[in-house]
Each structure stands twice: as structure tokens, then as C-alpha cells.
Amino acid sequence: MASTCAQLCLRGTGPLYSKTVSSTWQYYTRVQQRIKVTRVPTKVLSGLSIRGNHTTATTLTRLRWKQQICFYSDSAAKYLTNEAKEGTNTQELSRTKVGAHKTSLLPTRDAALTTENSHISLDLDPVAQPSALEEISDEEAISISVPSAIPPASTTLRDYVDKSETLSKLVQLGVNLWKLEKRPNVGSMLLRLNFNTDVTPRLLFLKDIGVEDSRFGYIISHNPFILTESLENLQARVNYLKSKNFSSETVASMVSRAPYLLNFSVNRLDNRLGFYQQQLSLSANNTRNIVARLPRLLCGSLEPVKENLKVCEIELGFKRNEIQHIVLAVPKLLTANKRKLTEIFDFIHNTMKVPHHLITKFPQVLNSKYLRLRERHLFLEYLGKAQYDPTLPSYISLDRLVSLPDETFCTELALATLEDFYLFQKTL
């Protein structure tokens, strides 16, 4: 029998046969150990238990051994036949498949004896997966949760408008998302906001202080961070402005035109008001007047303001009282571009020969467009009517020179036709 088993091993080429022969040899060894026992209870093929001597046990053991060898020989022959037909030489099999073959090759009659000495891994049936074509009930269809289709990343807020309630309602308010998406971290901040809990209370606050609904879009487009300010801080800043004798209507107008106004603390607002009052030697009423007309003076940097004040005093040669009068008439000059300011002053003072006191009397000329001022002056000079001294006849006011539309300027000041003015512009 041993030689037969050895020949069977040599015929096997895959790891399946190595496993099978190894299991058979182990079983043979255990049987040899049992033969040494003189009297052992033994199962007969019919299922009856008998007691016999050493010879009987040996006979039964040999019978079982023959059954095993025949069974394994038949299985090996079948495997070789199938392998020859398919024309494949499989060298490696997964452990799962080997275990499956190993279990199927064990004789059923000795299953009880085998399980006593070894643990056999059993393959479990795979969990049944629902088919995509399987019909489901309406209740099951309703209970299915569909994940949100919001893109994980994008360079524009346009991809999120249809998926985000906050963004869609901000668009309805007139917010320019294309402006906000250019600013770092603003887009992600807006996506994290909840419209009912974050946006709505701030909008109601703005409405309560008198801001018109039509201004909501403008305010949020320029200052989206107002949506993250606490209502307590916003109310405290409004209360401070009212304590400085700003009326409710003035506060609402200031907030509408300077969206960042309510983002600054009470201390900063107080310091800004004190700065303008001291630098310009203004009264409290005049200070409120300037700030109410140009509320962004409280929001912007103070460096351009300081620089323009020095330019007006040192480079342009205005006195402090003249600067005060100019600022009260045109507060915008405090934040004007320094190059533009000096260019216009140079043309008015050195080309048009207008003295300082006349410029102070009509400071709006410093806020005019340089090209318009130049074209009109040269046209009047061409006609011989460029006379800006109020003490002389045919006087032309600087205020009217820069403020009148072209047609009125031609008929009332130049006493010429609009076509003549357009023809003259082509010669420049």
C-alpha cells in the first residue's frame, strides 16, 4: 500500500495532490497508533459497534485503508483526465479552493473520526446582493437616501448655486457672487453658512435700523463678513453712532454706502472721529457732517488722508483754514489720488492762472475730470473768453465751468454751437 501511495504522489503535479497525500499519510499514522491498542471499540460499516481482538482491529483498519486509497486514486485519475482535456497546467491554487477540494475528498463515512482530530474550515455561502433590476416598493424607494451632488472642489461659486440654499437666496437678493469668489476663503465661508440661522437674522437687523431691502445685495457683495458678525456687536456699534448724535436715518444711509462700517469696533470708530476733528480743527457738528457725507472715512486707512493733507499744505500751498473750507465742501478730496490732485491743481493754478483764494471758493474744481477741464478752458481761450476773475467783465465761474453739460456750456458760457465745440476737440 505504501508503494501505491508513493506512486500516486509522483503522478500529482499540483499542490492539491500534495495536500491530499499529506492528509492521507497523517490519517495512516493515526490508524497505526490505534492498532497498538489491543481492544478498541470500532465502527462497522453498518453502524454497529463490536469488540474484537487485535486481529479483528487490524482487519477493519486495512479495509478502511483500501477504501481511502481507492477513493483518492479515482479522484486523481479524474483530475488528470480533466487536465488533459482542458490543456491547462495550473501550478497555484488559492487556499480557499484547496480547502474546498480537501473537504470534498474526505470520505463521508469517516467524517466523525476526522473531525475529532482536525478542524476543517467550511466555506460559507456569500451574502446575497440585491440586483439592480429587482423591483422595490414605493416605501423602500422613498427611504433611499441620495447623496448631495455638490462638487467637492471648484474654482467658481456658480457650480454650487443650484445645490446651496444660501447661495441661491443670496443671488436673489442681488449679491454678486463673481466678485466674492475672487476673494480668498470667502466662497467656502458662504457655503458653510445656513441661511435661516446665519443670514436671515443679519438681514432683519439691517432692516430694523432702516436699511432698504434693495441695498442688501450691495452690502453683502462688498462686505460678506457682516454675515459672521454677532448681533450684539452690530447693535453696539449702531448704538455708539446714535450716541454721537447721528440720526437713525443718517446711520442707515452710512451703513448702506459704507458696508464695512459695522465691522469695526466702537473704539476704532471713536478714534477715527477724534482724528478728523483734531486734524482739521473742526467742531463736532462739522465732523459729523463730513463723516455722514463720506462714511468710508471711518472705514479706510488714515495714511492717504494724512498724505493728502500734507500735499495740500506743503506742495499746493493752501493755508490750514483754506484746507478746512475745501474739506467741508468736498470731503472726497481727503481720499483722492495724490497724482490726480496735483495734476488738476497745477493746470488750474499755473495754466488757467487761478489764485488760491478762488480755488478755495470753488473747491469742486479740484474734484473735476482733468480732460474735461482742459478741453473747455482751451476752447474758451480759443474764443478769447477764458476770463475767471470775478472783478472783470465776462467773468466765468469755475463752478459752472466744470459742472454744466456740454450743450449748456456752449450756449451760455462759450456762446457757440455744440458742433463747433466738437470740431475743436478733434484738433486737440
Side-chain angles (χ1 to χ4, degrees), residues 189-374:
M189 180 199 72
L190 293 177
L191 286 174
R192 289 193 297 266
L193 294 179
N194 182 281
F195 188 84
N196 295 326
T197 60
D198 299 323
V199 181
T200 301
R202 276 74 182 174
L203 297 180
L204 293 176
F205 172 81
L206 293 176
K207 188 176 182 65
D208 291 341
I209 66 175
V211 178
E212 298 180 359
D213 297 352
S214 58
R215 300 297 294 177
F216 290 165
Y218 175 83
I219 293 174
I220 299 176
S221 297
H222 290 78
N223 178 26
F225 303 104
I226 195 173
L227 301 178
T228 60
E229 286 285 344
S230 65
L231 296 176
E232 293 77 9
N233 290 338
L234 295 176
Q235 187 63 54
R237 291 153 193 174
V238 171
N239 294 338
Y240 168 77
L241 294 175
K242 291 182 178 180
S243 68
K244 294 299 180 180
N245 296 328
F246 289 96
S247 64
S248 300
E249 294 77 12
T250 303
V251 172
S253 176
M254 293 169 62
V255 173
S256 299
R257 291 180 289 121
Y260 273 99
L261 180 62
L262 297 183
N263 279 65
F264 297 120
S265 64
V266 172
N267 291 333
R268 177 165 179 169
L269 295 176
D270 187 67
N271 292 334
R272 294 299 177 89
L273 290 175
F275 169 80
Y276 293 112
Q277 186 172 5
Q278 294 175 2
Q279 289 291 323
L280 301 173
S281 302
L282 300 175
S283 63
N285 187 38
N286 287 334
T287 304
R288 282 194 299 271
N289 183 23
I290 292 176
V291 172
R293 294 166 59 191
L294 193 66
R296 59 190 177 90
L297 290 175
L298 298 177
C299 305
S301 174
L302 294 179
E303 293 303 320
V305 176
K306 294 178 181 179
E307 188 174 4
N308 283 350
L309 290 176
K310 291 181 179 180
V311 168
C312 290
E313 184 177 2
I314 299 175
E315 295 186 20
L316 306 185
F318 289 101
K319 300 177 182 179
R320 291 186 64 85
N321 61 333
E322 292 176 337
I323 295 175
Q324 184 185 73
H325 180 79
I326 292 173
V327 171
L328 285 173
V330 189
K332 190 178 180 181
L333 292 178
L334 290 173
T335 58
N337 183 271
K338 185 182 72 170
R339 184 190 60 80
K340 176 185 176 183
L341 182 61
T342 54
E343 184 181 36
I344 292 179
F345 174 81
D346 180 69
F347 185 82
I348 296 172
H349 184 67
N350 298 322
T351 302
M352 299 173 60
K353 307 300 181 182
V354 179
H356 283 81
H357 69 278
L358 285 179
I359 299 176
T360 303
K361 188 177 180 179
F362 303 103
Q364 293 84 358
V365 70
L366 295 175
N367 193 40
S368 62
K369 295 182 178 179
Y370 174 78
L371 183 60
R372 166 182 278 194
L373 181 64
R374 178 176 177 271

Side-chain angles (χ1 to χ4, degrees), residues 164-175:
S164 172
E165 179 187 8
T166 300
L167 293 183
S168 61
K169 291 187 176 181
L170 288 179
V171 171
Q172 296 175 9
L173 290 173
V175 178

